[in-house]
Amino acid sequence: DTAVSQTPKYLVTQMGNDKSIKCEQNLGHDTMYWYKQDSKKFLKIMFSYNNKELIINETVPNRFSPKSPDKAHLNLHINSLELGDSAVYFCASSQEELAGVIGELFFGEGSRLTVL
Amino acid sequence: KQEVTQIPAALSVPEGENLVLNCSFTDSAIYNLQWFRQDPGKGLTSLLLIQSSQREQTSGRLNASLDKSSGRSTLYIAASQPGDSATYLCASKNRDDKIIFGKGTRLHILP
């Protein structure tokens, strides 16, 4: 039973296209994140949502638009894809102050985006 | 601005040896520090989470320590096995709610 699931796992598309990546968590967490892992494997936060509200936006181009229809889902839509968008995108979730434990992160398997 | 550093970037050790992975951070005002493992082509798996009020956490052959005053955390792996080969990342959760990752240490256990 996957805790954080992302679809699709692989995505190959042409420059200029628009694409979406979906994420769902069944852990009952109230916070969800999108991270980008570049070719050098460096993980960098893009967005964070808490109970459907945007709380972190790390100077990501406005071609990237996260959408959270409910606290179990956080989707990432990317407009006008560029070569530099090629990366692995990870969704993650956490629960704040659950039983005294602050914010253990759980990750999805990642979505590898290749822009041609 | 928090910076998290992991040195070395890569490490190879013979099977059976004990080893220590290092993580340092510049801002000691953290909520917690978490260690992850990432296998090639996979997501991150949480190994250990240390709250800011704790000094260490243990799970099986893994022990993670936290020294906020010196801005350091270590991950100790006892009796290493080839299956431990992976990239190990540490991440700090900071007072601004951001979680900052190090660049990871790529560990290779030689059979």
Side-chain angles (χ1 to χ4, degrees), chain B residues 7-48:
Chain B
I7 295 172
L11 182 64
S12 292
V13 300
E15 180 180 1
E17 284 199 4
N18 303 325
L19 61 100
V20 175
L21 304 179
N22 297 299
C23 172
S24 61
F25 45 94
T26 54
D27 183 356
S28 62
I30 61 173
Y31 281 128
N32 62 42
L33 190 129
Q34 194 167 357
W35 281 92
F36 296 86
R37 168 189 174 134
Q38 186 176 26
D39 293 287
K42 299 288 187 182
L44 280 72
T45 301
S46 177
L47 297 173
L48 289 164

Side-chain angles (χ1 to χ4, degrees), chain A residues 9 33 35 37 40-43 45 55-56 58 90 96 100-105 107-110 112, chain B residues 31-32 34 36 38 41-46 48-49 51 89 91 93 96-103:
Chain A
K9 191 169 181 178
Y33 309 81
Y35 280 85
Q37 190 171 46
K40 295 183 179 179
K41 307 299 183 189
F42 184 49
L43 262 172
I45 190 164
I55 56 173
I56 293 175
E58 276 295 289
F90 285 98
E96 301 306 310
V101 175
I102 297 178
E104 184 176 6
L105 266 183
F107 276 82
E109 289 283 293
R112 182 177 293 276
Chain B
Y31 281 128
N32 62 42
Q34 194 167 357
F36 296 86
Q38 186 176 26
K42 299 288 187 182
L44 280 72
T45 301
S46 177
L48 289 164
L49 172 72
Q51 299 296 321
L89 297 106
K93 184 174 173 76
D96 60 1
D97 285 328
K98 292 180 183 176
I99 300 172
I100 306 298
F101 279 82
K103 293 186 178 182

